[in-house]
């Protein structure tokens, strides 16, 4: 069985904000607000998404882990998957400051994605550092599961 943790549910910034909310919750002396802030902060800091791939039983499970513990998702058949590819995200975030300077944040992480046969849905499988690594991982998964590898 292959298990990959993919991404924080609220992203890296949301996770850091969750840690900050938890710290504020620790130092507040009002009990109901304290508990509420701890719950909200731990939800933001520890929740993530992931995928299990069970090649022996021919199924996979894409899930969300709330609080890092409670996993939601259902097992699906691998027969619905027909292709795999290593892709680079098209994610450019721009910000504007008061002096009209434009700053760009380009995300460098690449993903190995599985394609469902109806061609409308992609399932992220693994996060990689660069496109070359993603394409190599896609070839490995393609050989393991007898899938077409998209170049």
């Amino acid at each position: 069985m292959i298990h990959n943790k993919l991404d924080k549910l609220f992203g890296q910034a949301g996770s850091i904000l969750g840690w900050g909310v938890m710290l504020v919750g620790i130092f507040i002396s009002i009990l109901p607000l304290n508990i509420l802030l701890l719950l909200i902060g731990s939800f933001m800091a520890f929740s993530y998404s992931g995928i299990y791939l069970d090649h022996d039983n021919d199924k996979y499970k894409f899930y969300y882990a709330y609080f890092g513990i409670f996993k939601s998702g259902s097992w699906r058949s691998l027969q619905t998957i027909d292709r795999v590819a290593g892709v680079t995200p098209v994610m450019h975030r721009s910000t504007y400051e008061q002096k009209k300077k434009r700053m760009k944040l380009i995300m460098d992480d690449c993903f190995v994605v599985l394609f469902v046969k109806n061609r409308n849905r992609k399932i992220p499988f693994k996060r990689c550092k660069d496109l070359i690594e993603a394409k190599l991982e896609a070839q490995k998964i393609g050989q393991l599961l007898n899938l077409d590898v998209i170049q």
Side-chain angles (χ1 to χ4, degrees), residues 1-2 11 15 19 27 39 55 65 91 123 127 130 141 143:
M1 182 177 300
I2 300 170
S15 178
W19 281 99
F27 292 115
L39 284 175
H55 179 61
M91 183 184 297
I123 302 163
R127 178 185 292 268
D130 57 9
I141 294 300
Q143 289 174 355

Side-chain angles (χ1 to χ4, degrees), residues 23-35:
L23 285 174
V24 169
I26 289 171
F27 292 115
I28 289 204
S29 61
I30 303 169
L31 188 62
L33 184 60
N34 180 338
I35 293 171

Side-chain angles (χ1 to χ4, degrees), residues 78 81-84 114 138 141-149:
L78 277 174
I81 306 294
D82 66 343
R83 299 176 298 156
V84 63
L114 304 172
I141 294 300
Q143 289 174 355
L144 177 71
L145 301 177
N146 296 326
L147 300 173
D148 293 331
V149 179

Side-chain angles (χ1 to χ4, degrees), residues 74-146:
S74 59
W75 288 99
R76 299 180 187 263
S77 173
L78 277 174
Q79 300 301 322
T80 60
I81 306 294
D82 66 343
R83 299 176 298 156
V84 63
V87 297
T88 180
V90 183
M91 183 184 297
H92 299 281
R93 296 181 182 165
S94 297
T95 60
Y96 293 94
E97 294 179 354
Q98 292 178 352
K99 296 180 181 177
K100 305 292 184 200
K101 289 183 181 178
R102 189 171 183 199
M103 298 176 62
K104 286 187 180 180
L105 173 65
I106 300 172
M107 305 299 285
D108 291 331
D109 288 341
C110 297
F111 288 91
V112 176
V113 293
L114 304 172
F115 290 89
V116 179
K117 285 184 180 177
N118 67 10
R119 311 280 193 252
N120 295 331
R121 194 163 155 233
K122 293 181 256 185
I123 302 163
F125 179 72
K126 186 173 185 178
R127 178 185 292 268
C128 299
K129 296 287 182 197
D130 57 9
L131 188 58
I132 295 170
E133 181 185 352
K135 290 192 180 279
L136 290 174
E137 288 292 327
Q139 287 178 352
K140 288 180 191 176
I141 294 300
Q143 289 174 355
L144 177 71
L145 301 177
N146 296 326

Side-chain angles (χ1 to χ4, degrees), residues 8 10-19 41 44-45:
K8 300 275 188 183
F10 295 96
Q12 189 65 30
S15 178
I16 292 170
L17 179 64
W19 281 99
M44 291 176 69

